[in-house]
Amino acid sequence: SVTIKVTFWKTSGVSDCPKDDTCPLADYKDLDVGEWYHDGIHYCVEEGLMIGTSDDMFEPDAASSRAMVVTILWRMEGSPSAEGAMSFTDVEEGQWYTEAVNWATEKGIIIGNGDGTFGTENAITREEIAVIFYRYAQYKGHDVEVIGGDTMLNFADSYKISDWAVEAFKWACDTGLFKGDEGNLNPQADTKRSELATLIMRFSEQIEG
């Protein structure tokens, strides 16, 4: 007997975008509606999860910061209030990321650097973001148990993944959240804003959907 597993993914309206001046990307002079990142950025801008770095610049190749990532997840949750007190010495009250960092810490989605700091402006690597999405999925009540995890092994540089990120990467690859870049996962590379947008869209449609 053969068991066939069929997975249905919800798709957003970005696939219907005419990719003209009505597209959200058209507001930014450094974005090209024909590039691979179109769907992810379109989705995040339309959903109010990401904005440009200025009125007409998005900076798709700029590194995503730790503060940026947790703020997007916080927005996805409806910007809830956190109950606990801020525990990081480098996170000031009243900043655009303060509530998000507090909430993500309280829910166990992120941890600090081990020295009392969070590293708000530090660039986040691809393996760090895999772990954050893994924890976020757990927080959302999704089953993150990995059986086999062989998909990760299809990537030439999977051996470079840090031990603490292996389980998260197995899950991220098995679910299709991470699809690699020319056969590599680039675990220690910084996560570009365009890549972050794409990951957010995939999580919303493939895992949440």
Side-chain angles (χ1 to χ4, degrees):
S1 61
V2 177
T3 300
I4 299 175
K5 180 181 179 181
V6 180
T7 303
F8 295 94
W9 289 342
K10 179 179 67 176
T11 58
S12 64
V14 298
S15 59
D16 299 324
C17 177
K19 297 185 179 180
D20 56 19
D21 59 3
T22 64
C23 174
L25 274 68
D27 293 334
Y28 302 101
K29 61 185 181 183
D30 60 345
L31 294 180
D32 183 341
V33 295
E35 284 289 343
W36 63 271
Y37 53 63
H38 168 270
D39 289 2
I41 294 179
H42 181 134
Y43 176 84
C44 286
V45 172
E46 194 170 67
E47 294 294 320
L49 301 175
M50 294 182 76
I51 59 175
T53 55
S54 68
D55 289 342
D56 60 357
M57 297 290 287
F58 190 86
E59 295 191 71
D61 293 330
S64 305
S65 69
R66 287 167 59 82
M68 187 186 303
V69 172
V70 296
T71 298
I72 291 173
L73 297 183
W74 178 67
R75 289 172 181 165
M76 290 171 69
E77 290 301 299
S79 304
S81 297
E83 297 178 1
M86 179 54 61
S87 58
F88 299 116
T89 58
D90 61 339
V91 178
E92 299 179 5
E93 293 294 336
Q95 300 300 309
W96 57 270
Y97 50 74
T98 304
E99 279 293 317
V101 173
N102 205 0
W103 167 81
T105 304
E106 185 179 275
K107 301 304 180 184
I109 298 169
I110 55 101
I111 59 176
N113 294 323
D115 59 357
T117 66
F118 175 69
T120 54
E121 298 305 318
N122 292 354
I124 194 164
T125 65
R126 288 168 60 82
E127 63 182 3
E128 287 174 332
I129 206 165
V131 171
I132 286 177
F133 273 111
Y134 179 76
R135 291 177 183 152
Y136 181 56
Q138 289 178 305
Y139 161 72
K140 297 287 287 181
H142 296 291
D143 182 7
V144 296
E145 181 181 0
V146 177
I147 301 176
D150 295 337
T151 306
M152 185 184 76
L153 301 179
N154 294 333
F155 299 95
D157 62 348
S158 60
Y159 69 94
K160 295 181 179 179
I161 298 171
S162 301
D163 291 344
W164 50 266
V166 168
E167 283 302 308
F169 254 117
K170 285 181 179 179
W171 167 81
C173 291
D174 279 4
T175 58
L177 185 64
F178 272 74
K179 297 183 179 180
D181 180 13
E182 297 183 352
N184 290 298
L185 289 169
N186 304 318
Q188 277 84 44
D190 291 343
T191 306
K192 298 177 182 178
R193 281 169 53 82
S194 53
E195 294 171 336
L196 174 59
T198 300
L199 291 171
I200 291 294
M201 181 189 70
R202 287 179 187 161
F203 186 95
S204 299
E205 296 184 346
Q206 298 170 199
I207 298 172
E208 283 288 86

